[in-house]
Amino acid sequence: MKTIKRLLKGILVLIILLVISLYFYLQHIKPKYKGDLTLSPLENKAEVWFDSYGIPHIYAENKGDLYLAMGYLHAQERLFQMELVRRIAPGKLSEILGKDLLPTDKFFRTLGIHLSSQEAAQKLRTQTTNPTLKEAEAYLRGINEFLEKGPTPLEYELLGIEKTPFTLEDIYNAVGYMSFSFAAAHKTDPLVSFINAELGASYLKDLGLKADTTRQMIPSYFGDPIGLNEKSSAMLLEMLNQLPVSPFIGSNGWVLGPSKTKSGKVLFANDPHIGFSQPSVWYEAYLETPDFQLYGYHLAGYPFAILGHNRQVAVGLTMLENDDVDFFRETENEADSNQYLYKGEWKRFDYRDEIIKVKDEEDIVFQVKTSLHGPVVNGVLGEIVGPDPVAMWWTYNKLPNQVLDATRKLNNAQSPGDVTDALKLIHAPGLNVMYGDAKGNVAWWATARLIKRPEHVNSFTILNGSTGEDDPLGYFDFAENPHSVNPPMGYVFSANNQPDSVNGYYYPGYYLPEDRARRIRQLIDSKNDWDSEDVKKMLMDETSPAVTQNIGVLLTAMANASLLGNDQKALELLRAWDGKFGGQSAAPIIYTRWLYTILENAMKDELGQDKFDLFMSTTDLRKRTFPLLIANDSSSWWYNADKKTVEPRQDVIYGALISAVASLEDDLGKNIDKWKWENIHTLTHNHALGVVPLLGKVLNVGDFHVSSGEEVINNWGYPVTSENKYRVSFGPSTRRVVDFSDIENSESILPTGQSGVFHSRHYDDQAQMYVEGKFRKMTINKKELTTSGKLLMLLPDK
């Protein structure tokens, strides 16, 4: 008995010691928010004031010290996120996360982003007087100072990650991944090519691939061969879902000029849509030297703010959704597989060997083959139909990378002309840049090097690489990009919708439908006395006029239907619905399931289950298709391939409602009064290691039951499936309102918090505020910070 007691006491002592050790370890790795901190490379002392949400406000004597401090502070909160981001584009995730990420690494290594990064970094290093180089290197010194002297993050310990210095190449790789995540062709073109080749051109009519001049566009104002198949898209989507850092999805932005606001000053709003993760994508910081001020939003491992404002100007962005990728089927020489045909001559493929390190496995060596069009994606992007190679032509890899210079110029811009000079340097990714300033100017620019293509080319299908006739012809001059500067209507806006034509030409792209754009314009046009409170409410708007229009079409088709029970009640709820995705409403549930079932009944017989699932996952395609399909009596999709007959549109719509309601009764019960949208529409911010159940309970943030929906202004997107849960996968990565009538009280919010260190009080201190639509101040007045903030003094090692 005494032995057992001694054993129990020993176990208890051991547990106490472990708890104490864990406590001190967690205290050790906490971010430092006050006191003194010595940084060896610092020239002069600098002050960092942290506000109540952990956002640093850095005051330095020069830009070198400013960006050095920024790098250190960014790293102490987000080092693991930085590590993941710098590994995606060069294909180095398998090294720390294991063999499951090997297909993803092979794909990105094949794209060659890392080669473009090496070239850009080497070129920048030769520009010894370029301030971009000096400030980027200062930022890197700060990150590496933390790597050397700061505590090791928990994730590094769990995964056994070796600390290695950050480089210019890592910075370029970060923006390279962002550029890739903006591109939609990889996800859409293979499926469109399959439909075109296997089903026929008539099936493309309802996919909304061509510009529809009847829809709300972004108004400008100037003063068939198949190579890839649908499994290529499916494989890419699977790879993207495995990535530990979420891709960019969409966004809203609008800037109201003096004629539209109560104050007569510019009001600026922006909420970029990005896949949710923990920590969230943006790191906020206020930077100030005697000749520079910026409140900015920074990507992990990137020195310059992508979104930002000061007392003079505000800049934000949405995704342009332009088509900057083409796939080419190359004709290989049957007598020599090292050659391909181009304009009547046999050219030789270029080859390079790539080595991928895989955790707990042998290194993988594979060969990348490249034609003059680009890297051959056979073997890394699903199955290829036929024996020929398919090469990927991408604007990002075709032109010199000046994005780092461009973003620095944007951070220093003081006028529309400064912004234009910066944007001319951006070749990819495609962006809608939104602008407003204290002088009353508002502007929008579609920003990218937009491709000139031959008139016959359908860039949404696989092109012929052998003749040269399908090759891009060059690029339009930046002056020909869609844009609007101080338009007569008094405001600019963007919601990833189709820009208006320039000189009668509509730039091809993967634009989202007009839903959000129409609602934005509908609201802005309703009044001329907007203030910041109105704009904040607008950012949380949950109503879709496009949904009510779709329901009107569906109800017309159901005009002669005879319904009973929940079928009739469901129809009545939809008839009375105003299109608002309210949390207590059953209508969003019924509409979403009906939408899914209509598309399933119309398309799955031709596509099959796998291709249909892929179509539903290709969000831009699905959203454009639905309103066109349900309004078209003669659509080819009404042909039932199983029954070998055409089914009337009304019959399919009617049958889909009956099936949808029956499936909802199975999932949610027969009492339709208990169907509540927020019960099945949920939001969780997942950490990269949150897939491990025990870690997920600690590192993930959520689960929140939320209202709103997709393609409303407060755009919380989710996979539309037959399941009884609609888990939010993306949404506003921040909501910002910059009010030039009261610039010091401009406001924003993050989805979770500023810190990526899970036991920091700022890990999730904004999460509840975010789902409730609340905001907090973006403080730029130092006096306010000195009375309520925490001071961290940065000291040089002298």
Side-chain angles (χ1 to χ4, degrees), residues 195-247:
I195 293 171
N196 184 52
E198 299 296 321
L199 300 178
S202 67
Y203 280 85
L204 298 181
K205 292 180 180 178
D206 291 318
L207 300 187
L209 298 174
K210 294 184 178 180
D212 183 352
T213 58
T214 68
R215 301 286 176 172
Q216 179 61 62
M217 297 184 179
I218 307 174
S220 290
Y221 178 69
F222 293 80
D224 284 77
I226 185 167
L228 297 176
N229 69 3
E230 78 289 344
K231 291 186 179 179
S232 304
S233 296
M235 181 176 179
L236 178 63
L237 289 169
E238 183 179 350
M239 289 191 294
L240 290 175
N241 288 335
Q242 283 188 310
L243 285 177
V245 178
S246 298

Side-chain angles (χ1 to χ4, degrees), residues 525-583:
D525 285 345
S526 68
K527 54 187 289 185
N528 294 318
D529 60 346
W530 287 87
D531 61 24
S532 59
E533 290 301 315
D534 296 329
V535 170
K536 287 191 292 184
K537 291 177 183 177
M538 185 170 162
L539 281 166
M540 295 303 297
D541 188 78
E542 301 174 347
T543 299
S544 169
V547 164
T548 55
Q549 179 175 306
N550 290 342
I551 289 175
V553 174
L554 296 173
L555 291 175
T556 299
M558 298 287 291
N560 298 319
S562 177
L563 299 171
L564 299 172
N566 278 343
D567 297 332
Q568 180 61 29
K569 190 166 186 178
L571 204 62
E572 290 171 357
L573 287 171
L574 292 177
R575 185 175 285 113
W577 190 33
D578 61 359
K580 181 177 180 180
F581 284 72

Side-chain angles (χ1 to χ4, degrees), residues 32-39 46 72 791-795:
K32 188 175 178 67
Y33 296 124
K34 61 182 179 179
D36 293 342
L37 179 64
T38 300
L39 300 182
Y72 187 95
L791 174 62
L792 176 65
M793 286 296 303
L794 304 182
L795 306 173

Side-chain angles (χ1 to χ4, degrees), residues 97 143 398 426 453 478 527 605 652 683 736 775 780:
L97 299 178
I143 296 175
K398 297 297 181 181
I426 298 177
R453 293 181 171 94
F478 181 78
K527 54 187 289 185
D605 52 315
V652 177
L683 168 60
R736 301 165 60 219
F775 290 75
I780 61 173

